[in-house]
Amino acid sequence: MSSSNFPCNASRLSASYGSENFKNMCEKYKDIISTLPKLEPSYPGYESYQYQGFWYPIQFLQVILYMQENFRARPSDIFLCSAMKTGTTWLKALTFSIMTRHIFHDDDSTNNPLLNKVPHDCLPFLEVDFISNPKFVDAELPLLSTHVPYSHLPPSILESNCKIIYICREPKDTLVSLWKFSQKVFDQDVSVANILTLEHQVKWFCEGKSFYGPYWNHVLGYWEASHDVERHDKVLFLKYEDLLKDTLYYVKKLAEFMERPFSMEEETRGVPEEIIARCNFKSLSNLEVNKTGLHRPETQRVQNSIFFRKGEIGDWKNYLTKDMAKEIDDITMEKFQS
Ligand code: A3P
């Protein structure tokens, strides 16, 4: 992408941003974190702490604290926000395609990043890239992603009145997706076998102790922002299920919200439908890169394929007992009804 595609001048990194500064600040953050409730047991290497009501793996929490002070949003930035396993991969693919449709062409596999990279590698994920890949974060594309709850977004995102797109998903399907994902990420580690049981994952989820949990509070933060008189036109709140049932309607809505509406001519040519076809579960999961490639090979070494499982509504019925489902539904009723 050349700089003329998305003109920008301000850096997203503060004047004091730098790896030395981050190292120094980490000492301070370690002191803060050492006073926080710690989840026992935790995944090795992903020890989880509760900060102002939400549970975070320690390395993300350090970056989040650093971002609060050092991330500078550009007013034209659009943030893709979500809890884990709620349709982030799909949302990234759709919004990236909408945003870059005048630059990349569908069948040119040498040119279109979506055909060569998992959607997560097409745009920055703040909790990781802010430290490990600042150039990527500071690039011109006005799309960035995070799992951070609304109340912990870097203040400059709200001060700059940036747009936010949030996607949520039915809690039971989210939980099952998270459980299956965690099993794949940690499957080599016998020491976490007891954490990876469905019973334990349901317990954590219901107690709000899964990463970025409580899930319901995560959803509510963005829901309330999307209904705030001052912010409602800046927050687009989507549900995975709605997106799956009426993808065309929501893709057009996304394009309008992103201020890249489809022209009449594009609609006649079927551009929205082409984007939907390229980003649907079958197309993305069948790409060679998503079947055999690695996400962040230098650091996390996660298989791209773990981001694609079934992509369906209601898969929880195949795993959760009646009691488990009831426990989750009761919390959902209690949290979302008031
Ligand atoms: P399942 O585990 O229920 O199949 P995230 O992207 O936030 O990590 O969410 C992952 C969930 O989205 C997984 O759900 C995954 O299969 C599903 N998913 C991934 N790509 C998708 C797509 N293009 N369309 C619909 N669902 C998709």
Side-chain angles (χ1 to χ4, degrees):
M1 258 179 273
S2 85
S3 55
S4 56
N5 290 315
F6 303 105
C8 57
N9 38 36
S11 173
R12 294 192 181 98
L13 315 174
S14 73
S16 59
Y17 178 92
S19 54
E20 250 336 281
N21 187 25
F22 179 62
K23 256 193 239 154
N24 295 337
M25 294 304 282
C26 272
E27 290 309 310
K28 185 176 108 183
Y29 301 147
K30 273 184 193 142
D31 288 345
I32 298 172
I33 292 170
S34 68
T35 66
L36 301 176
K38 183 179 176 194
L39 186 61
E40 299 282 5
S42 279
Y43 296 113
Y46 291 83
E47 283 75 21
S48 209
Y49 289 84
Q50 190 187 36
Y51 175 71
Q52 296 180 350
F54 288 93
W55 288 91
Y56 295 102
I58 183 166
Q59 63 275 54
F60 287 2
L61 181 52
Q62 286 172 346
V63 180
I64 290 164
L65 293 172
Y66 191 63
M67 283 198 304
Q68 306 268 345
E69 298 178 83
N70 292 285
F71 180 78
R72 301 281 171 268
R74 296 178 191 141
S76 55
D77 284 343
I78 299 174
F79 292 84
L80 309 179
C81 303
S82 58
M84 289 175 68
K85 314 320 293 173
T86 60
T88 320
T89 315
W90 190 19
L91 182 66
K92 285 181 183 178
L94 289 171
T95 50
F96 183 83
S97 297
I98 292 168
M99 182 68 83
T100 63
R101 66 187 188 271
H102 302 299
I103 308 168
F104 302 125
H105 299 290
D106 258 11
D107 20 7
D108 181 357
S109 63
T110 54
N111 170 279
N112 190 336
L114 265 185
L115 302 175
N116 296 303
K117 293 178 185 177
V118 70
H120 296 282
D121 290 341
C122 293
L123 54 104
F125 172 52
L126 287 178
E127 289 90 306
V128 173
D129 293 314
F130 194 60
I131 297 304
S132 67
N133 200 352
K135 276 194 186 147
F136 192 28
V137 170
D138 211 18
E140 67 223 27
L141 182 75
L143 274 180
L144 302 107
S145 75
T146 179
H147 287 316
V148 172
Y150 189 78
S151 56
H152 289 163
L153 287 173
S156 107
I157 295 179
L158 304 185
E159 286 158 13
S160 307
N161 218 8
C162 295
K163 289 195 169 180
I164 290 174
I165 302 171
Y166 184 73
I167 188 160
C168 71
R169 189 178 187 189
E170 201 282 326
K172 300 189 293 304
D173 276 337
T174 305
L175 160 69
V176 166
S177 186
L178 186 60
W179 169 49
K180 291 284 175 188
F181 180 81
S182 308
Q183 281 187 328
K184 286 183 194 149
V185 172
F186 296 105
D187 68 342
Q188 309 296 341
D189 194 337
V190 285
S191 72
V192 292
N194 57 335
I195 302 180
L196 290 174
T197 62
L198 178 58
E199 289 69 21
H200 196 90
Q201 293 283 320
V202 172
K203 179 173 144 36
W204 262 1
F205 193 78
C206 290
E207 290 173 358
K209 292 176 177 166
S210 45
F211 288 154
Y212 297 94
Y215 175 67
W216 297 271
N217 298 23
H218 200 289
V219 176
L220 279 172
Y222 285 93
W223 173 256
E224 282 161 11
S226 73
H227 285 75
D228 180 323
V229 274
E230 310 248 302
R231 295 276 304 147
H232 69 97
D233 57 335
K234 296 286 179 183
V235 183
L236 179 63
F237 187 96
L238 298 176
K239 297 180 190 158
Y240 177 88
E241 294 72 21
D242 291 345
L243 193 56
L244 205 55
K245 284 181 196 153
D246 196 351
T247 315
L248 184 59
Y249 172 79
Y250 284 99
V251 161
K252 289 184 186 174
K253 199 174 168 113
L254 274 168
E256 273 163 34
F257 183 77
M258 293 164 67
E259 295 173 36
R260 267 95 181 157
F262 295 106
S263 64
M264 290 286 279
E265 188 270 331
E266 284 181 306
E267 294 219 5
T268 312
R269 272 198 293 125
V271 173
E273 288 84 354
E274 277 170 22
I275 288 177
I276 290 167
R278 188 194 315 140
C279 298
N280 72 26
F281 182 85
K282 201 169 162 206
S283 304
L284 283 184
S285 59
N286 274 328
L287 287 174
E288 199 50 40
V289 66
N290 292 331
K291 286 198 282 193
T292 57
L294 281 181
H295 168 54
R296 303 183 187 286
E298 295 82 26
T299 49
Q300 287 171 289
R301 301 195 60 76
V302 173
Q303 307 269 344
N304 289 340
S305 59
I306 69 169
F307 295 106
F308 305 92
R309 193 179 64 92
K310 288 188 178 172
E312 291 170 2
I313 298 172
D315 188 44
W316 64 266
K317 293 187 188 120
N318 297 316
Y319 301 99
L320 300 185
T321 64
K322 266 192 185 163
D323 286 348
M324 288 170 172
K326 182 173 178 330
E327 190 180 359
I328 298 168
D329 284 344
D330 285 350
I331 301 173
T332 305
M333 286 287 278
E334 184 200 319
K335 294 261 192 183
F336 289 173
Q337 253 189 356
S338 53

